[in-house]
Amino acid sequence: MQAWRVHRNGEPAEVMRLESTEPPEPAKGQVTVAVSAANVNFPDAMLCRGQYQITPPLPFTPGVEICGRTEDGRRVITTVALPHGGFAEYALADEAALLPAPAALDDAQAAALHIGYQTGWFALHRRAHLQEGETLLVHAAAGGVGSAAVQLGKAAGARVIGVVGGREKAAVAEALGCDLVLDRHADDIIAAVKDTTGGRGADVVFDPVGGDAFTKSTKCVAFEGRIVVIGFTSGTVPAPALSHALVKNYSILGLHWGLYAAKDPAAVLRCHERLTDLADRGRIAPLVSERVGLDAAADAVQRVADGTTTGRVVVVPEGAK
């Protein structure tokens, strides 16, 4: 089979190599999945760089999230069992991690549903307890995880403010349904959020960026607001001033979705059922901006790492249905 493999750590475009190799052999409790579509996630770039929480042995195949078919014919979505990831014709997954792919979504959309939308759901509902009528501020609103948070926020009845970088991404955020879109390059984020909320600020902040985005969020979060820290795509991990959180009476919440699979797998299944229902009713649909062939996977991972993409870029191996 054809598979992208990483033999040393570095930038994805430099260290990912497309090779011919034998299909992986499943261990006990694992299954082989024929990859129909593999969504590109920022963690794929971090894996290549050796900067992710998980460090698979070299060589490994990145691609942490897939839609595919099992040998017994089930159409599933799943996270992969590294080191045998999804940027290949076949991947491995734990049997316990398999979820039925929603019939309302095609393979590329289904591949993009799992991690991003589960992250958004747990962040907004399990951690921040977003309520109907509240104001949600989403950083990187045109990106993969941010676009999911926008759709989930709207589905929950929140007013959504999206922050993006540039006019092209602003158009994407508007099409997603943001009530207000702010360009971090051109707009005064703090003043605009306060103005549109009558001085109150955002009740919930969804922040996968960190750095300056987090700092600005602390200055425009509402009384008893909740800032959910998703990640640090800016490359800068903020050091929050806890005295400021005390004085303004807001909460800083962390969200590591992967822990739920280990500590509360039933919650992951319940979330998937809710997401499937929302997809069936047309309330959410992953924004797939590009479908690329397997031969373009390294370039796709690099572009996601560089922050030049919108929505989701999905790798579709040749011949996949």
Side-chain angles (χ1 to χ4, degrees):
M1 71 168 187
Q2 292 290 297
W4 286 91
R5 304 220 291 171
V6 174
H7 293 263
R8 62 181 178 86
N9 294 127
E11 287 301 299
E14 298 174 359
V15 300
M16 288 178 61
R17 298 191 340 214
L18 186 60
E19 300 176 347
S20 294
T21 185
E22 292 297 316
E25 289 291 331
K28 183 178 180 180
Q30 294 181 334
V31 295
T32 301
V33 181
V35 179
S36 301
N39 180 45
V40 180
N41 284 275
F42 190 74
D44 292 315
M46 296 181 70
L47 282 166
C48 290
R49 294 166 174 164
Q51 297 174 346
Y52 198 52
Q53 301 100 305
I54 301 169
T55 54
L58 299 169
F60 67 89
T61 297
V64 297
E65 177 179 37
I66 62 173
C67 174
R69 286 166 175 77
T70 60
E71 291 179 321
D72 59 7
R74 288 172 291 165
R75 180 173 177 258
V76 299
I77 61 174
T78 187
T79 51
V80 300
L82 292 171
H84 302 292
F87 299 143
E89 293 178 290
Y90 294 92
L92 292 185
D94 293 333
E95 176 71 42
L98 301 180
L99 295 169
L105 304 179
D106 66 24
D107 288 343
Q109 291 173 315
L113 179 76
H114 192 35
I115 295 175
Y117 281 82
Q118 288 257 347
T119 296
W121 180 271
F122 276 94
L124 299 183
H125 294 286
R126 182 80 171 240
R127 302 295 284 138
H129 301 289
L130 178 69
Q131 302 297 307
E132 183 177 359
E134 287 191 317
T135 297
L136 168 65
L137 175 64
V138 178
H139 290 284
V145 177
S147 62
V150 169
Q151 291 185 355
L152 290 168
K154 294 299 295 182
R159 183 184 187 192
V160 180
I161 302 172
V163 179
V164 300
R167 292 182 180 179
E168 179 185 353
K169 293 186 177 184
V172 172
E174 289 172 359
L176 285 167
C178 286
D179 298 281
L180 175 66
V181 178
L182 303 174
D183 184 346
R184 60 185 174 85
H185 298 311
D187 297 317
D188 185 330
I189 306 299
I190 299 168
V193 171
K194 289 183 176 180
D195 180 66
T196 197
T197 59
R200 173 176 171 76
D203 298 291
V204 175
V205 179
F206 183 91
D207 180 16
V209 178
D212 186 58
F214 176 86
T215 301
K216 290 179 178 177
S217 297
T218 65
K219 296 179 180 179
C220 61
V221 65
F223 169 75
E224 292 196 327
R226 292 85 76 197
I227 300 174
V228 190
V229 178
I230 310 299
F232 313 106
T233 59
S234 67
T236 301
V237 179
L242 297 184
S243 59
H244 191 259
L246 183 154
V247 170
K248 287 195 66 176
N249 216 52
Y250 62 85
S251 302
I252 303 169
L253 305 167
L255 188 280
H256 177 193
W257 171 76
L259 284 178
Y260 286 96
K263 296 182 177 296
D264 192 357
V268 174
L269 180 58
R270 290 194 300 270
C271 177
H272 180 66
E273 292 170 348
R274 294 187 179 100
L275 293 176
T276 298
D277 177 65
L278 288 171
D280 287 343
R281 292 190 285 125
R283 301 296 303 277
I284 61 172
L287 173 63
V288 178
S289 58
E290 296 180 62
R291 291 168 168 83
V292 303
L294 184 59
D295 60 347
D299 174 70
V301 177
Q302 188 65 59
R303 288 188 291 115
V304 168
D306 294 340
T308 61
T309 60
T310 58
R312 289 296 191 181
V313 181
V314 179
V315 176
V316 180
E318 184 178 357
K321 301 297 184 183

